[in-house]
Amino acid sequence: MDVKIISEDENPMLRRTDIRFETTHEDATPSRLSVRDSLAAKLDKASEEVVVHELDTKFGMRKTVGYAKVYDTAADALDVEQDHMLERNKIGDDADAEEA
């Protein structure tokens, strides 16, 4: 899967960068986690620091446009993001499992 950054907007108050990106894929729309991992690798960040918010694929196209937030640290993501977005992106699951 090829990931291309369309735009980057710095948000220093929340210690993150808002990213608009485009992916080209061969098969079906890629999963949120595979897009997150590819985007993290391209930006040289850890997967826990990237939160994918939306993926939009037009019918019949092999191109997906999306929006993600890239945090300075994983702790920043845990502090700012809503619980359902953390759950969708599988961030913080290991900490919950250790507490139980």
Side-chain angles (χ1 to χ4, degrees):
M1 169 179 20
D2 180 39
V3 178
K4 178 182 167 189
I5 305 293
I6 298 172
S7 69
E8 291 185 49
D9 295 319
E10 292 293 325
N11 192 338
M13 185 181 234
L14 295 175
R15 297 179 303 279
R16 73 177 186 217
T17 304
D18 298 334
I19 305 277
R20 291 253 173 226
F21 62 91
E22 178 180 282
T23 65
T24 306
H25 43 86
E26 293 300 316
D27 297 321
T29 302
S31 70
R32 181 181 302 265
L33 296 180
S34 66
V35 171
R36 180 189 74 163
D37 292 342
S38 297
L39 192 57
K42 181 168 183 74
L43 297 170
D44 197 29
K45 300 290 275 180
S47 294
E48 293 80 28
E49 298 171 0
V50 178
V51 179
V52 176
H53 271 262
E54 64 183 52
L55 294 171
D56 183 33
T57 305
K58 301 288 186 230
F59 181 76
M61 301 292 288
R62 298 194 185 276
K63 188 178 356 177
T64 300
V65 178
Y67 170 67
K69 297 175 183 175
V70 181
Y71 288 89
D72 292 344
T73 65
D76 292 338
L78 291 171
D79 288 343
V80 175
E81 283 298 321
Q82 297 173 336
D83 291 339
H84 73 279
M85 289 309 298
L86 293 172
E87 186 176 319
R88 286 181 189 173
N89 284 274
K90 305 285 190 236
I91 297 174
D93 289 347
D94 296 339
D96 292 341
E98 290 173 7
E99 290 174 8

